Amino acid sequence: MKWRTLLGWEVTLIVLVFAALFGGALLSPAFLTASNLTFLTANFSEVALIALSMTLIIIVAEIDLSVASTLGLSSAVLGALFAAGWPIPLAIVAALAVGALAGLFNGLLITRLGLPSLAVTIGTLALYRGLAYVVLGDKAIADFPAFYTNLGFGTLPGTPIPIPIALFFVLAVITVVVLHATAFGRSLYAIGANPVAARFAGLRVERVKLSLFVLSGLMSALAGVVYTFRFASARADNAVGLELGVIAAVLLGGVSIFGGKGSVVGAVAAVFLIGIINGALTIVDVSNEVLTVVTGLLLIGSVLVPNLLGHFRTYRERRRAKGDRVIQ
């Protein structure tokens, strides 16, 4: 029943994606042009990348609010090392390592000290952003070689598909396989649904959660590298507030905030839906403030609607059970 409901929600999201594309075309004849779609999809590539790891974390009933700050810290490290004369490949590796260490720090506080992930990652949201300013200050590092900036905003040869989105699709397929076709993926649902029972079943709950937070830091750092090259600028304030868009997409995709339920396909569909809606509003000169309001409303709706549907299903099942007793 749960999987049938989830599949129905995924299909609904996919239908809404096409409806949003149609609506965007009505707003502007330029909306469905190849150049605009390339720009539109590239614009949410960082959200899409981080949403993959966020999906896994929320499935195990945790959350990571520090992802945007980790992105900013990794971007600052990449820029600072490039300015110091490091070869860019080594600077990228260092930036990724910083992201993984940031995720490890989050994970250790949560799994070893038993602190709630919400409180920990609110704290590290501020900590990592502050460290980004310590590393880079308020200056911007630019003048990256064209080869690397092209990786950020270029497209696959002969196609309108942005390179970051192509990378995202590869990682999304891997995530789908791991989550839905491996014992490790099934263990995530068990941990999210009932961590105590999962421990009794022999699952190493803390170790699994720790690995997911390291993965979240690594994916945030990868998004930081993409963001830096896409805008050809490393800044400490890169991607401020991005975590709201990530969480809104994951929850709208059908991943339960209480854990134990959700899918990558739903999260991916929601990423595209939110990205297309924002792109359609942007092309008709809607302000960033209004876009923020839209994201907030989607975030509230992504939590409210599934709960209302759940209460409605429970009420209907109780009415049906009551009717069966009357007939008997």
Side-chain angles (χ1 to χ4, degrees):
M1 177 66 182
K2 288 183 178 180
W3 279 106
R4 188 161 62 246
T5 302
L6 185 60
L7 181 60
W9 182 244
E10 292 171 350
V11 172
T12 299
L13 287 173
I14 293 171
V15 171
L16 289 175
V17 167
F18 284 102
L21 287 171
F22 179 73
L26 293 178
L27 289 174
S28 171
F31 184 75
L32 291 181
T33 60
S35 59
N36 184 65
L37 291 178
T38 297
F39 173 79
L40 184 152
T41 51
N43 207 36
F44 60 75
S45 57
E46 295 86 9
V47 169
L49 288 168
I50 299 174
L52 295 177
S53 54
M54 186 69 78
T55 297
L56 305 183
I57 282 183
I58 295 182
I59 283 176
V60 298
E62 301 290 354
I63 198 166
D64 187 356
L65 296 177
S66 68
V67 288
S69 295
T70 303
L71 184 160
L73 176 58
S74 300
S75 175
V77 168
L78 174 59
L81 293 179
F82 171 68
W86 281 45
I88 287 189
L90 287 181
I92 292 174
V93 171
L96 295 177
V98 166
L101 288 173
L104 177 64
F105 182 68
N106 285 340
L108 289 174
L109 291 178
I110 293 161
T111 61
R112 297 298 183 259
L113 299 183
L115 301 177
S117 58
L118 178 64
V120 167
T121 57
I122 286 176
T124 53
L125 178 154
L127 172 63
Y128 298 155
R129 187 65 67 179
L131 289 175
Y133 278 101
V134 170
V135 170
L136 205 56
D138 57 0
K139 61 184 178 181
I141 304 298
D143 298 325
F144 292 98
F147 173 79
Y148 293 99
T149 56
N150 185 62
L151 295 178
F153 57 75
T155 60
L156 292 179
T159 75
I161 302 173
I163 293 174
I165 289 296
L167 172 64
F168 160 71
F169 276 124
V170 171
L171 295 177
V173 169
I174 294 172
T175 307
V176 167
V177 172
V178 170
L179 183 60
H180 300 296
T182 68
F184 178 79
R186 289 188 291 273
S187 73
L188 301 187
Y189 289 103
I191 292 169
N194 192 328
V196 175
R199 287 190 186 90
F200 280 117
L203 296 178
R204 297 180 174 180
V205 174
E206 283 73 24
R207 181 175 295 184
V208 169
K209 289 185 177 182
L210 180 62
S211 67
L212 293 182
F213 278 100
V214 172
L215 176 63
S216 178
L218 183 62
M219 291 297 287
S220 299
L222 177 60
V225 173
V226 171
Y227 194 102
T228 301
F229 290 151
R230 189 162 69 87
F231 290 97
S233 177
R235 295 175 54 93
D237 61 353
N238 276 352
V240 170
L242 189 77
E243 65 277 349
L244 293 179
V246 174
I247 295 170
V250 173
L251 297 184
L252 184 62
V255 181
S256 172
I257 190 66
F258 302 109
K261 187 179 75 170
S263 74
V264 176
V265 174
V268 170
V271 166
F272 274 81
L273 176 60
I274 294 176
I276 291 167
I277 291 173
N278 285 342
L281 295 176
T282 300
I283 206 170
V284 291
D285 294 325
V286 171
S287 67
N288 287 331
E289 291 78 10
V290 174
L291 296 180
T292 302
V293 170
V294 170
T295 300
L297 290 174
L298 288 172
L299 181 55
I300 294 172
S302 64
V303 177
L304 181 62
V305 171
N307 277 277
L308 291 176
L309 292 176
H311 287 308
F312 175 73
R313 284 194 298 270
T314 301
Y315 172 76
R316 189 173 57 182
E317 289 169 0
R318 287 177 179 175
R319 289 292 300 272
R320 185 183 296 117
K322 184 178 180 180
D324 291 342
R325 287 197 298 270
V326 170
I327 294 173
Q328 292 174 0

